[in-house]
């Protein structure tokens, strides 16, 4: 028990613990936020479920990117495969989650094995391009699957059924699925924590640090890199199966290369090679994506009001013209990314103080 | 006569027009310290790279303990008991000194497909790791990141890692490169203690160290072995004097 509480002795540990508590208890205080008029309960839970699921995907990418030094630019392909597995099975009337999820995870692992076995023979830009190429290949397979909606995607009429344990309608469904996603995220974080600190993780991280030396010590580095690649693919496939359930919809867009890029951004933004970094990154990225436009509008309205009071309304154009600037919110997001990369190399995670060793 | 542990047969390695290893033959006997000397560019490091599996020879044969290892990858050779240190310090800079040697021990114990138990809490890795650091005189730096060690200390760690693989043949590529006199003396001391316990193929520019440590010396010039013999024989060898030692004296 003492070991479990030691993280609380550092600010970094306390912030992480607080964040996990806030996330875990959201279903219980969301009604209160709703009543206070801050945010609708349903909206908050739906948005945060998406954050949790993509955080799982980002944590899986961090295993190979942050701990293994493998810049996979096609990681969203496993989200797609996991999602399509659930969607296609549901389409054919197989709704049993105990079948859907293991299959989604297993197929993703197999796909990662194939992609990894070929891509990991290359390094640097070639590796990035190969992983991207494989993901795009699967993306176009998805586009070509006319029977499952092709480009338009496929609506899932019923979510995965886990022996009837999960509520199937109304707010209960949303709350239950949020809790499931949270529990899965915590389990995945725990799993990755064990992995990267076990012998396997030391071999993987050593290989990232200096592969030649690891070979000179007798490590068959390719095997450890490949194993990590497969584990990451499997976890990401799980995230895909969850995401399909969350949106009740699958489409090739789930595995578009820009989605893979988003995952990389989450990992870099949050902190590569830090256990909780991808979670911070997913939260920051998705919340900025969600709220930056309205935040910008708020700031622009305030600025417009202030300046027009001084210079007169006619001189600076209408408020509407100003508000249209908010459509370019992605420029602001890009600027934040650049600032993080330039001034906070370890991502958001590094802002909470230096990690204790290990 | 002791049995031959490593046998190199007419090894050839070309880089474009340059012949870095020119029909080189060499044998290392079990238990000896075999030094490899030669002027810069003689192909010493290229030879080590081929012996350790980081570079494929164009032709020739490398036999270790009677087994042909010419085509074996580096990691597999380490598992047979052939490990190397690097001329240019190659430690895992993000890890502590103890982590570095513990990783060598981890590799020695077999595969690392163990996914659950913390490696840093594993006494079967940490204890031999500490012993290895103790042996090279780095015990007090165990928990410091390798990147924060001085150059000399990193060289010691470099050798500790090669030794922690528990090799039967240790390939040491200029262990004293860039060391001050005090650190060098310490390294010679360490290698002297290892003498007899481990077979070593030692590349070194420090002639005092070489003549103090080596049982036999092979002189390499332009990728060719021009002489092999005891230190006394090498000292007396005319070809060696003109090709190498003379050069060193005038330089």
């Amino acid at each position: 028990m003492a070991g479990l509480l030691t993280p609380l002795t550092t600010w970094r540990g306390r912030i992480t613990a607080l964040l996990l508590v806030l996330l875990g208890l959201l279903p219980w205080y969301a009604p209160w936020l709703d009543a206070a008029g801050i945010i609708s309960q349903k909206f908050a839970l739906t948005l945060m479920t998406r954050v949790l699921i993509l955080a799982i995907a980002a944590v899986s990418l961090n295993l190979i990117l942050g701990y293994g030094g493998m810049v996979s630019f096609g990681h969203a392909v496993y989200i797609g495969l996991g999602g399509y597995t659930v969607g296609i099975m549901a389409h054919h009337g197989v709704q049993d989650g105990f079948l859907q999820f293991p299959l989604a995870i297993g197929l993703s692992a197999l796909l990662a094995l194939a992609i990894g076995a070929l891509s990991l023979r290359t390094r640097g830009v070639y590796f990035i391009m190969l992983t991207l190429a494989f993901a795009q290949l699967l993306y176009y397979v998805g586009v070509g699957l006319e029977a499952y909606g092709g480009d338009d995607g496929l609506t899932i009429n019923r979510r995965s059924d886990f022996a009837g344990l999960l509520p199937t309608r109304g707010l209960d469904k949303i709350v239950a699925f949020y809790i499931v996603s949270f529990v899965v995220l915590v389990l995945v974080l725990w799993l990755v924590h064990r992995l990267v600190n076990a012998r396997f993780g030391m071999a993987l991280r050593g290989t990232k640090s200096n592969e030649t030396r690891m070979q000179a010590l007798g490590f068959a580095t390719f095997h450890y890199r490949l194993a990590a690649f497969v584990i990451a693919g499997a976890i990401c496939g799980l995230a895909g199966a969850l995401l399909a359930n969350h949106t009740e919809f699958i489409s090739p867009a789930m595995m578009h290369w820009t989605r893979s890029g988003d995952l990389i951004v989450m990992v870099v933004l949050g902190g590569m090679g830090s256990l909780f970094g991808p979670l911070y990154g997913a939260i920051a990225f998705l919340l900025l994506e969600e709220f930056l436009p309205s935040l910008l509008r708020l700031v622009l309205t305030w600025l417009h009001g202030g300046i027009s009071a001084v210079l007169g309304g006619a001189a600076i154009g209408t408020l509407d013209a100003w508000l249209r600037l908010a459509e370019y919110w992605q420029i602001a997001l890009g600027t934040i990314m650049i600032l993080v990369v330039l001034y906070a190399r370890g991502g958001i995670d590094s802002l909470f103080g230096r990690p204790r060793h290990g | 006569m002791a049995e031959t542990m490593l046998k190199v047969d007419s090894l050839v390695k070309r880089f474009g027009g340059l012949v870095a290893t020119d029909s080189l033959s060499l044998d290392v006997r079990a238990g000896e310290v075999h030094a490899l000397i030669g002027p810069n560019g003689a192909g010493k490091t290229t030879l080590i790279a081929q012996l350790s599996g980081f570079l494929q020879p164009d032709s020739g044969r490398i036999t270790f303990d009677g087994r042909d290892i010419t085509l074996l990858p580096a990691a597999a050779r380490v598992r047979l008991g052939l490990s190397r240190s690097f001329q240019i310090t190659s430690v895992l800079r993000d890890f502590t000194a103890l982590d570095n040697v513990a990783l060598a021990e981890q590799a020695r114990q077999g595969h690392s497909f163990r996914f659950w138990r913390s490696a840093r809490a594993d006494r079967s890795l940490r204890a031999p790791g500490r012993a290895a650091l103790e042996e090279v005189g780095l015990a007090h730096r165990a928990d410091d990141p390798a990147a924060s060690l001085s150059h000399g200390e990193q060289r010691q760690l470099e050798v500790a890692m090669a030794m922690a693989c528990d090799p039967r043949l240790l390939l040491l590529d200029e262990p004293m490169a860039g060391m001050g006199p005090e650190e060098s003396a310490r390294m010679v001391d360490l290698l002297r203690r290892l003498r007899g316990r481990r077979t070593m193929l030692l590349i070194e520019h420090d002639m005092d160290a070489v003549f103090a440590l080596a049982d036999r010396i092979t002189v390499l010039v332009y990728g060719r072995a021009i002489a092999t013999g005891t230190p006394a024989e090498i000292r007396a060898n005319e070809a060696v004097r003109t090709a190498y030692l003379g050069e060193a004296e005038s330089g």
Side-chain angles (χ1 to χ4, degrees):
Chain A
M1 276 313 280
L4 204 62
L5 293 176
T6 39
L8 293 178
T9 55
T10 63
W11 276 110
R12 182 192 171 78
R14 285 179 204 137
I15 291 171
T16 307
L18 178 68
L19 181 75
L20 286 178
V21 168
L22 281 178
L23 285 173
L25 295 181
L26 178 65
W28 286 272
Y29 63 78
W32 181 81
L33 292 177
D34 203 338
I38 296 169
I39 192 166
S40 125
Q41 183 183 359
K42 194 177 156 192
F43 176 72
L45 285 170
T46 308
L47 174 66
M48 290 314 289
T49 304
R50 183 178 163 75
V51 169
L52 295 179
I53 293 171
L54 288 174
I56 296 169
V59 168
S60 76
L61 176 62
N62 187 40
L63 178 62
I64 52 176
L65 175 61
Y67 292 104
M70 295 169 253
V71 187
S72 167
F73 207 155
H75 206 60
V77 75
Y78 310 107
I79 294 188
L81 184 60
Y84 267 81
T85 307
V86 168
I88 290 174
M89 287 176 85
H91 187 67
H92 292 289
V94 183
Q95 263 128 9
D96 188 348
F98 293 115
L99 285 177
Q100 290 177 339
F101 274 65
L103 196 64
I105 294 168
L107 287 176
S108 297
L110 276 180
L111 178 65
L113 182 65
I115 294 179
L118 294 166
S119 313
L120 286 171
R121 298 181 190 283
T122 65
R123 289 288 182 278
V125 169
Y126 302 100
F127 177 76
I128 297 174
M129 287 297 125
L130 266 176
T131 50
L132 174 62
F134 281 116
Q136 283 300 91
L137 195 88
L138 268 288
Y139 168 79
Y140 285 111
V141 168
V143 170
L145 285 176
E146 291 298 335
Y148 305 110
D151 215 357
D152 297 329
L154 184 70
T155 302
I156 300 171
N157 293 320
R158 264 194 68 195
R159 288 190 177 185
S160 303
D161 173 38
F162 288 96
L165 288 172
L166 296 180
T168 53
R169 56 187 81 244
L171 194 60
D172 284 352
K173 176 175 88 168
I174 296 172
V175 170
F177 196 67
Y178 178 88
I179 295 171
V180 167
S181 304
F182 179 75
V183 170
V184 172
L185 171 67
V186 170
L187 290 177
V188 164
L189 283 168
W190 186 47
L191 172 75
V192 170
H193 170 70
R194 300 301 311 204
L195 279 186
V196 299
N197 288 300
R199 289 186 183 210
F200 174 75
M202 295 301 280
L204 181 67
R205 290 151 71 186
T207 302
K208 179 199 175 193
S209 175
N210 187 342
E211 183 165 16
T212 306
R213 177 40 117 171
M214 291 297 279
Q215 287 170 344
L217 290 180
F219 286 98
T221 53
F222 177 80
H223 296 127
Y224 300 108
R225 287 157 58 89
L226 182 59
F229 200 81
V230 169
I231 294 168
I235 296 173
C236 196
L238 168 64
L242 288 169
L243 193 65
N245 269 285
H246 176 58
T247 56
E248 301 180 355
F249 176 71
I250 51 167
S251 83
M254 293 172 93
M255 49 184 153
H256 194 254
W257 67 273
T258 53
R259 291 307 191 80
S260 299
D262 288 349
L263 290 177
I264 293 180
V265 169
M266 289 175 204
V267 173
V268 174
L269 187 66
M272 279 189 287
S274 121
L275 182 64
F276 290 98
L279 173 60
Y280 304 140
I283 294 173
F285 181 82
L286 294 165
L287 294 191
L288 280 174
E289 195 179 64
E290 189 66 39
F291 295 114
L292 203 52
S294 29
L295 201 69
L296 277 179
R297 257 181 247 122
L298 207 70
V299 172
L300 287 169
T301 309
W302 180 74
L303 273 179
H304 185 269
I307 296 173
S308 63
V310 177
L311 299 176
I316 56 164
T318 64
L319 180 59
D320 277 349
W322 275 55
L323 290 185
R324 268 199 287 280
L325 287 175
E327 285 167 23
Y328 302 105
W329 60 272
Q330 281 170 323
I331 295 175
L333 185 60
T335 310
I336 292 172
M337 264 310 289
I338 291 169
L339 289 177
V340 166
V341 171
L342 284 180
Y343 297 109
R345 272 297 172 79
I348 297 169
D349 180 71
S350 68
L351 303 176
F352 303 151
R354 290 181 59 78
R356 286 175 315 141
H357 187 72
Chain B
M1 182 190 282
E3 59 171 313
T4 300
M5 183 176 267
L6 180 82
K7 194 166 166 51
V8 179
D9 255 334
S10 6
L11 210 63
V12 176
K13 180 72 193 175
R14 293 187 192 84
F15 296 109
L18 177 80
V19 188
T21 308
D22 190 358
S23 342
L24 183 100
S25 295
L26 176 82
D27 65 286
V28 179
R29 296 175 193 152
E32 75 171 341
V33 175
H34 194 127
L36 204 57
I37 62 173
N40 284 322
K44 301 184 296 289
T45 294
T46 307
L47 177 64
I48 291 281
Q50 292 171 83
L51 297 181
S52 55
F54 285 93
L55 205 59
Q56 282 299 317
D58 296 323
S59 67
R61 227 166 94 96
I62 304 167
T63 323
F64 182 61
D65 265 342
R67 183 176 164 176
D68 186 346
I69 60 163
T70 317
L71 299 173
L72 221 54
R77 294 184 200 206
V78 182
R79 290 194 288 273
L80 288 181
L82 196 155
S83 92
R84 70 171 291 184
S85 75
F86 290 83
Q87 178 188 2
I88 296 165
T89 305
S90 178
V91 296
L92 305 166
R93 299 177 56 83
D94 319 333
F95 289 83
T96 65
L98 180 55
D99 285 339
N100 270 274
V101 278
L103 265 168
E105 172 64 17
Q106 182 179 320
R108 196 191 65 77
Q109 289 183 10
H111 72 79
S112 292
F113 287 105
R114 300 197 194 164
F115 300 99
W116 209 247
R117 269 186 62 197
S118 167
R120 285 197 173 108
D122 190 337
R123 289 182 54 87
S124 77
L125 296 177
R126 303 311 258 187
R130 283 188 192 283
L133 289 182
E134 193 87 47
E135 189 156 21
V136 298
L138 271 183
H140 61 295
R141 298 288 258 156
D143 294 320
D144 295 324
S148 74
L149 302 187
S150 73
H151 175 79
E153 288 171 328
Q154 289 193 15
R155 298 301 304 164
Q156 289 171 305
L157 181 58
E158 176 75 44
V159 173
M161 288 168 81
M163 283 188 337
C165 297
D166 195 23
R168 284 180 306 122
L169 174 59
L170 192 53
L171 307 173
L172 295 171
D173 195 352
E174 293 195 33
M176 282 156 249
M179 277 188 166
E182 215 167 289
E183 292 167 330
S184 283
R186 199 172 178 159
M187 184 66 79
V188 172
D189 211 45
L190 168 67
L191 296 181
R192 189 174 283 132
R193 272 185 280 131
L194 287 174
R195 221 179 129 180
R197 283 196 281 150
R198 297 211 197 272
T199 311
M200 283 183 255
L201 182 62
L202 171 71
I203 293 184
E204 190 45 64
H205 274 302
D206 182 337
M207 285 306 131
D208 293 336
V210 166
F211 282 94
L213 288 168
D215 297 303
R216 288 198 304 155
I217 298 173
T218 293
V219 184
L220 226 60
V221 177
Y222 297 122
R224 273 179 178 281
I226 60 164
T228 296
T230 63
E233 286 165 0
I234 292 300
R235 234 183 225 122
N237 189 305
E238 266 314 305
V240 174
R241 294 180 77 91
T242 48
Y244 185 52
L245 293 179
E247 201 176 279
E249 271 161 29
S250 67

